[in-house]
Amino acid sequence: MAQVFPTSAQIVIIGGGVIDTSIAYNPVKYGARDLLLLEKTLPTEGATWHAAGLVGQFRSQQNLMEMMSDSVKVFDQLGQDTAQNPSWNKVGSLRIAPSNERWGELLKSQASAQAVGFEMDMLTPQEALEIYPLMKIDDLVGAAFIPADGHIDPNSLT
Ligand SMILES: Cc1cc2nc3c(=O)[nH]c(=O)nc-3n(C[C@H](O)[C@H](O)[C@H](O)COP(=O)(O)OP(=O)(O)OC[C@H]3O[C@@H](n4cnc5c(N)ncnc54)[C@H](O)[C@@H]3O)c2cc1C
């Protein structure tokens, strides 16, 4: 029997990468059913296939931090909402400051992180070493630890 493809839909999304499927996610979550996602090859075969899957909320601009922080809230909920495991590992991230200038930048960013609402802990070199014991700390001024960062498998997420 010949396959019948839809010729129209209320919502049409072009592409089957992680951004495209996340655009589809909310309308479907809240009840939309007439949604068509068009992918010219296979889902995740674009940039998504190459991604390391690092999830870091720290950004130079506050609006980008807010977007990343919202993504983390979605990742936290996704397993429960979809009954599929997105391989979300919330292991935290360390940003190191090997100079006083970099340390100053991290201290300034801490205020933005607090405004967005995610935790960013300022650590001494010794405290950073306890989190990542393979690190050399001779030239370290300090480090910032973001406990709610981590990595997610881009394929499973899509
Ligand atoms: C090496 C590398 C490492 C990365 N590491 C990270 C990371 O650690 N953390 C992070 O957050 N981001 C990372 N990124 C960025 C991340 O991969 C991209 O931001 C993300 O995958 C973009 O998703 P997308 O859906 O916009 O695009 P894509 O994944 O490229 O999806 C677009 C899709 O559209 C399809 N398409 C295109 N044109 C058409 C058409 N005309 N009709 C139908 N389908 C079409 C393509 O086939 C493709 O599948 C990395 C990227 C690279 C390359």
Side-chain angles (χ1 to χ4, degrees):
M1 203 170 80
Q3 227 175 341
V4 181
F5 290 101
T7 54
S8 68
Q10 198 182 11
I11 304 168
V12 178
I13 295 170
I14 299 174
V18 72
I19 301 292
D20 317 305
T21 47
S22 40
I23 292 169
Y25 182 67
N26 274 313
V28 171
K29 184 175 175 184
Y30 293 106
R33 289 296 173 266
D34 189 14
L35 184 145
L36 184 63
L37 192 136
L38 300 168
E39 168 54 53
K40 68 176 177 180
T41 56
L42 289 170
T44 77
E45 285 213 344
T48 301
W49 188 85
H50 299 275
L54 303 178
V55 178
Q57 294 168 85
F58 181 90
R59 289 290 184 273
S60 52
Q61 290 167 21
Q62 193 163 322
N63 58 348
L64 294 178
M65 285 200 201
E66 278 167 19
M67 196 172 75
M68 291 306 297
S69 184
D70 285 348
S71 298
V72 164
K73 288 179 193 129
V74 173
F75 301 160
D76 285 344
Q77 224 10 70
L78 207 55
Q80 204 177 317
D81 286 355
T82 64
Q84 291 184 44
N85 179 3
S87 295
W88 170 219
N89 299 292
K90 210 173 185 177
V91 291
S93 75
L94 267 181
R95 279 174 191 270
I96 57 170
S99 68
N100 286 321
E101 289 76 21
R102 181 67 179 142
W103 181 239
E105 278 170 26
L106 288 178
L107 286 173
K108 265 194 233 154
S109 307
Q110 193 193 21
S112 305
Q114 277 166 347
V116 172
F118 67 84
E119 190 181 331
M120 179 165 160
D121 305 325
M122 307 312 286
L123 308 182
T124 62
Q126 192 55 44
E127 286 168 333
L129 187 67
E130 280 163 29
I131 291 176
Y132 189 62
L134 296 177
M135 187 162 49
K136 266 184 77 199
I137 57 167
D138 328 5
D139 58 353
L140 210 64
V141 182
F145 181 62
I146 302 177
D149 279 351
H151 57 89
I152 192 161
D153 171 36
N155 207 34
S156 309
L157 176 62
T158 306

